[in-house]
């Protein structure tokens, strides 16, 4: 089943917008990060994805946006981090795409965090496996932008609770965005925290991230330490067996199903 079929029941914007690749970098050995200049009317909510249309390629890609709505407002760009697979859109990104390439995108998805200033604060628990970090990184950056806005307006804007990220990957090289995640935790101590879990590490772990790294998979006990049934809102994104298992565990911990959100189109 392809992306359009998997997401047929999800919300989609009606507009299809042109975009131009204005930056390409290697986020890891298997993941390329694209920066795309978009149309002035393009909008999205933190956590959403795009249908990704490539001229000359029949298959439509589906990629979560990893940047924040704030970056779009400030610079008119969004970012995608795309892992290499045999799927034609991902292959194109890794083998053919260049700065200046033109594509088209349409925003979709029911998985997002977009609080209103009038809403009471919630504590976020973000749980990511592999490239499932993409929409959660967008949410994390959005929360950081809202906190900066609060500081600039003397706290008269958004009520923001705490955010904890549990992020599992094969090894530290495949932990995407780790430096920025740690920088955000340092910028807002008491508001942001993170734990990186690695399952197949062979090389030494860099001193800069060692304090945040744990060996082995994310445990129910770790999640339990960050769950308050009255305040916690949990976002899960990763391989379906992982998200389904954690969703069941969170319900057992007393978190109601409407406080557990996860992508279902993987």
């Amino acid at each position: 089943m392809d992306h359009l079929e998997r997401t047929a029941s999800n919300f989609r914007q009606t507009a299809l917008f042109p975009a131009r690749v204005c930056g390409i970098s290697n986020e890891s050995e298997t993941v390329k990060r694209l920066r795309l200049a978009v149309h002035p009317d393009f909008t999205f909510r933190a956590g959403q994805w795009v249908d990704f249309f490539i001229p000359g390629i029949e298959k439509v890609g589906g990629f979560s946006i990893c940047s924040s709505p704030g970056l779009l407002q400030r610079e008119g760009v969004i970012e995608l981090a795309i892992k290499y697979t045999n799927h034609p859109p991902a292959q194109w990104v890794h083998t053919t795409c260049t700065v200046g390439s033109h594509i088209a995108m349409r925003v979709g998805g029911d998985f997002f965090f977009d609080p209103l200033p009038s809403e009471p604060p919630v504590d976020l628990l973000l749980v990511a496996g592999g490239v499932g970090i993409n929409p959660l990184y967008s949410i994390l950056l959005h929360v950081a932008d809202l906190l900066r806005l609060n500081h600039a307006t003397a706290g008269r804007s958004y009520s923001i609770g705490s955010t904890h990220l549990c992020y599992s990957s094969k090894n530290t090289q495949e932990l995407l965005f780790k430096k920025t995640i740690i920088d955000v935790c340092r910028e807002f101590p008491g508001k942001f925290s993170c734990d990186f879990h690695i399952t197949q590490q062979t090389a030494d772990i860099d001193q800069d991230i060692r304090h945040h790294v744990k060996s082995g998979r994310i445990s129910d006990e770790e999640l339990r330490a960050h769950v308050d049934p009255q305040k916690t809102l949990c976002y899960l994104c990763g391989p379906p067996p992982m998200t389904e298992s954690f969703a069941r565990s969170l319900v057992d911990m007393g978190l109601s199903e409407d406080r557990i959100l996860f992508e279902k189109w993987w």
Side-chain angles (χ1 to χ4, degrees):
M1 187 181 296
D2 69 13
H3 166 69
L4 293 181
E5 292 173 318
R6 283 195 302 266
T7 59
S9 63
N10 287 118
F11 164 81
R12 266 184 173 78
Q13 294 180 6
T14 55
L16 183 68
F17 290 104
R20 177 179 56 83
V21 177
C22 59
I24 304 174
S25 60
N26 293 320
E27 190 64 33
S28 76
E29 290 180 358
T30 62
V31 176
K32 282 197 180 291
R33 188 167 178 171
L34 297 189
R35 176 168 279 221
L36 296 140
V38 297
H39 189 277
D41 293 335
F42 183 97
T43 62
F44 76 99
R45 292 167 157 178
Q48 289 186 305
W49 39 258
V50 293
D51 298 330
F52 194 85
F53 297 85
I54 304 163
I57 294 181
E58 182 180 355
K59 285 286 186 184
V60 176
F63 304 121
S64 292
I65 300 169
C66 64
S67 53
S68 71
L71 180 67
L72 173 61
Q73 293 169 2
R74 293 188 296 270
E75 300 185 28
V77 301
I78 68 164
E79 293 186 336
L80 308 174
I82 299 170
K83 189 177 179 70
Y84 179 83
T85 69
N86 290 327
H87 194 242
Q91 278 195 328
W92 178 85
V93 167
H94 279 260
T95 62
T96 307
C97 177
T98 61
V99 171
S101 292
H102 288 266
I103 55 93
M105 296 185 296
R106 178 174 57 209
V107 172
D110 306 299
F111 180 91
F112 55 81
F113 181 65
D114 186 25
L116 297 171
S118 58
E119 292 179 350
V122 295
D123 291 337
L124 296 183
L125 175 58
L126 311 178
V127 185
V131 289
I133 187 62
N134 278 325
L136 304 185
Y137 184 60
S138 175
I139 290 171
L140 182 147
L141 293 177
H142 184 48
V143 174
D145 281 342
L146 295 181
L147 283 169
R148 294 182 189 111
L149 179 63
N150 276 2
H151 290 181
T153 58
R156 292 192 297 272
S157 297
Y158 293 83
S159 298
I160 303 294
S162 65
T163 298
H164 181 72
L165 170 67
C166 298
Y167 178 15
S168 177
S169 190
K170 187 166 57 176
N171 54 52
T172 55
Q173 207 279 329
E174 289 294 324
L175 286 169
L176 310 182
F177 320 122
K178 52 187 175 285
K179 181 182 184 304
T180 302
I181 291 169
I182 291 173
D183 286 347
V184 168
C185 291
R186 289 172 177 164
E187 183 180 356
F188 299 104
K191 283 291 188 181
F192 283 93
S193 56
C194 68
D195 287 309
F196 300 137
H197 288 255
I198 51 173
T199 57
Q200 298 177 36
Q201 183 78 10
T202 55
D204 291 339
I205 298 171
D206 289 346
Q207 187 69 36
D208 290 346
I209 66 169
R210 190 173 298 166
H211 171 69
H212 298 278
V213 173
K214 297 181 178 182
S215 182
R217 300 183 184 278
I218 300 167
S219 68
D220 286 354
E221 289 70 26
E222 180 179 346
L223 299 187
R224 193 186 308 275
H226 297 279
V227 169
D228 178 339
Q230 305 305 315
K231 294 178 62 178
T232 303
L233 187 60
C234 181
Y235 289 81
L236 305 168
C237 194
M242 184 199 88
T243 58
E244 291 164 7
S245 173
F246 284 146
R248 290 192 297 269
S249 296
L250 290 163
V251 169
D252 291 341
M253 295 173 199
L255 204 58
S256 61
E257 290 186 2
D258 64 342
R259 287 182 166 269
I260 304 168
L261 299 96
F262 53 94
E263 277 290 14
K264 299 175 179 146
W265 60 269
W266 273 54

